[in-house]
Each structure stands twice: as structure tokens, then as C-alpha cells.
Amino acid sequence: MRRVLGGIGVLWAVATIVFVAIRLIPGDPALAILGGPGSQASAEAVAQVRSEYGLDQPVLVQYLVFLSRLATGQLGDSYAFRTPVSTLLAQELPVTLTLAVAGLGVAWLLAVVAAWWSTQRGRTAALLTTGLAVTASVMPHFWLGSVLIVVFASSLGWVPAVSDGTLRGWVLPVLVVAVPVAGYLAETIRDGVVDAQRSAFALAARGRGESRAGLFGRHLLRHAALPGIALSAWAFGSLVSGAVVVESVFALPGIGRALVTAVTQRDMPLVAGIALVSAAAYVVVLAVADLVERAVDPRGGQPADERGGPSAGARRGQRRRPPEVVLAPTVAAPVTGGGTDGSGTPDQAEAR
């Protein structure tokens, strides 16, 4: 329930930010609806549009009407494309989601390979991998896309420079969105592997004769994947935002290009629809990442003492250690003869 309320709060915040941002853009929304300043619309036409779309109402009334329509799923019609926003999203959202999902998958592949190489090939490999990961993580999408086009499309001719609808046309766009994310993931996974190598379960696996590949794949990677999975949720949002640039560079018909057009022409319904769908996708990805974390490590939600481990076991052992028993020195009882005092024989006295 808390996660659902949090998701609703995120969507409300995104809708509010979009409403305020559109209002701050210079220009008249009525003119944008009529085709922009170059349309030479008459004052009567502008007034009619204002009345039709409620632009002559106070800002607070417009905001409440805007939220009520979004809550009922009424995204409205696009000012620029003259088409229902829901129809545009249904046509263009699959392209952006395909780009983001494929980019995240390739980023994980590159990050795991980099983590394996850096942790198995010595200090030089680790330093080289760290430098490459840091460099990749700060590469701008536009610059990286331009370099890849020049090298692999123009010079080598291996792939097309723009998307042509084939699998080869997806290679460069996916690489552009994947490389920066792979840099973050590689460093995170590598740090997790280094920490896991010093743990008790890794030492036990080595003692059983586990190979390097088996130790990395079956033990170390599972431990190191948890922070990487959490980072992937943030990375998905970065991939969607990077799609705005990548789709423009490679002429992909996704919501990124539509968003650029919508912002330029003050197309508020389309901007709001894209922002809300992107935020909803981000909330869903967060929930999926949480489920994947629980599947990888079912003990993740338990307290530390219940999960066990060396530290928890040591604490339990300290709490359950019985008190030390200090034995006092034994003093031999005096040996007396068998009288009526009940001392008995010497053997009996010694026994007592």
C-alpha cells in the first residue's frame, strides 16, 4: 500500500511540474494551438480557442481541470499532431521501451564482462577497467552517437547511420544508450565482487575446489548483483531520458522525438502524456527491481540477526555463552574414627 501511495505521489508531482513548466514557456498557448505565431490568426480565433480549451480561466481552475482529466485517463488531443495523445503514445512508446530495455540488457552484459576481467586479471586490469568505466559513464549521448556514426557507419559501413527498421539499424542506438550506464554498473558490480571475494562463503567455495568461473558465476556475481539491480531502476530512467537525444540523432520514431516537437510547439497535452507515462514506467521498474532483488536474495528483507552470517552468529554466540564456573579449591576433611558423631569410616568421611 505504501508503494502504491508513493507511486501516486510521484505521478502527481510530475503532473504539477509539467503544468508549471508549460506555463513558464514564453508565448501564447492559444497561438500554439492555431499553428504558432506564423499562423496570423485573428483575435476572434484566438479568443475562441481560449474559451474552448479553458485558457481564459484562472490558473488554479486550469490546474484542477488538468489534474481531473489526467486522473480519468483523458490525455486530450495533441496540438501539434491533431491526434489523440493516447494514439500517439501507443504508436511511439514501444520504440522507446525497446530501446531502453535493449540498452539496459547490453549495459549489464558489458558491465559483467568488465567486472570479471578486472577482478581476475590483476591490478593493471582493474585500473584500466576503472578508467574506462569512469570515462564511459560521463560520455554525452550526442557526442558518443556522432563518433559511432562516423566510425562504424561512415568509415566502415558495418551498420546504417540512421534507423532503417532492421536489426542492424538498432545496433548503434542501443550502444549509445548502453555505454554510459555500463560504466556505472561495471564499477558497482566490481566493488561487490571484490567485497564478496573476502567473505566466508567464497573461501569455502575455493576450499571445495571451485573454479574461477564457477566461483564468479555461482557465488560472487549473485552477491554483487544486488546493488546493480537497485542501480538498474535509476538507470532505466536515465535510458528513457537519453532516448530523447538518441532518437533525434538516429531518427527513431519514439516518444523522445515527439517530446522535442511537443515542447517546441507548447503542446501541453502531449508533454503531459509523455511525462506521466515515463513516470509510470519508472514506478513500475522500481517495483520490478524490488521483486528481482527478493528473488536473488530472499533474505534481503529480514533483519540482520535472522539472516545469519558471521557477524550475526558471533553475536548470538556471545549472548548464549554460558557463565564460566569457577571451582573453589577442595579442602580435605579431617579423618576421624567411627564414633557416634555420624562421621563413619574414613572412606565415608572422604566421600562426604
Side-chain angles (χ1 to χ4, degrees):
M1 187 62 182
R2 183 177 60 183
R3 187 176 296 277
V4 173
L5 294 177
I8 295 175
V10 169
L11 296 179
W12 168 79
V14 169
T16 302
I17 293 173
V18 168
F19 181 85
V20 174
I22 292 295
R23 289 296 183 274
L24 294 178
I25 296 177
D28 190 350
L31 288 178
I33 296 173
L34 292 172
S39 61
Q40 299 180 352
S42 63
E44 292 78 7
V46 173
Q48 182 179 357
V49 169
R50 285 180 174 276
S51 175
E52 180 180 353
Y53 287 90
L55 299 176
D56 55 348
Q57 299 292 327
V59 176
L60 180 59
V61 175
Q62 296 182 41
Y63 174 67
L64 295 177
V65 172
F66 172 70
L67 290 182
S68 63
R69 289 178 177 175
L70 293 180
T72 57
Q74 300 177 15
L75 300 178
D77 295 337
S78 169
Y79 301 161
F81 297 96
R82 308 296 178 179
T83 306
V85 173
S86 58
T87 302
L88 291 174
L89 292 178
Q91 294 173 353
E92 299 172 349
L93 184 61
V95 176
T96 302
L97 290 181
T98 301
L99 179 63
V101 172
L104 185 60
V106 173
W108 263 94
L109 178 62
L110 296 175
V112 170
V113 172
W116 157 259
W117 191 69
S118 64
T119 55
Q120 304 296 323
R121 300 299 179 180
R123 181 175 176 83
T124 303
L127 293 176
L128 181 60
T129 304
T130 300
L132 291 176
V134 173
T135 304
S137 63
V138 298
M139 284 184 178
H141 292 100
F142 181 82
W143 178 85
L144 180 59
S146 301
V147 170
L148 293 182
I149 289 175
V150 171
V151 174
F152 295 101
S154 301
S155 299
L156 299 177
W158 291 353
V159 290
V162 296
S163 176
D164 57 358
T166 63
L167 185 61
R168 294 174 64 247
W170 282 92
V171 173
L172 292 185
V174 170
L175 282 178
V176 171
V177 298
V179 167
V181 175
Y184 291 107
L185 285 176
E187 282 295 288
T188 302
I189 296 175
R190 178 188 173 276
D191 292 342
V193 170
V194 171
D195 292 339
Q197 284 178 333
R198 297 189 292 264
S199 61
F201 68 85
L203 297 177
R206 289 194 191 97
R208 294 193 302 267
E210 188 75 73
S211 63
R212 285 188 175 184
L215 178 64
F216 182 86
R218 284 191 288 268
H219 302 282
L220 301 181
L221 184 58
R222 181 176 180 180
H223 175 85
L226 293 175
I229 293 172
L231 184 62
S232 296
W234 166 86
F236 187 84
S238 176
L239 290 169
V240 173
S241 62
V244 175
V245 177
V246 174
E247 290 173 1
S248 300
V249 172
F250 294 97
L252 284 172
I255 62 174
R257 292 180 63 189
L259 180 62
V260 174
T261 303
V263 172
T264 303
Q265 300 189 16
R266 296 176 58 92
D267 192 344
M268 183 176 174
L270 184 55
V271 172
I274 293 175
L276 286 176
V277 169
S278 301
Y282 184 68
V283 171
V284 172
V285 169
L286 285 176
V288 172
D290 185 62
L291 294 176
V292 173
E293 285 184 0
R294 293 177 182 273
V296 173
D297 184 10
R299 304 169 299 172
Q302 299 177 1
D305 287 343
E306 296 181 8
R307 289 198 302 267
S311 58
R315 289 194 296 270
R316 286 199 299 267
Q318 292 175 359
R319 290 196 299 266
R320 296 178 182 178
R321 181 182 299 173
E324 296 182 359
V325 179
V326 180
L327 299 178
T330 303
V331 180
V335 179
T336 57
T340 58
D341 58 354
S343 60
T345 61
D347 293 338
Q348 294 172 344
E350 185 176 355
R352 285 198 300 270

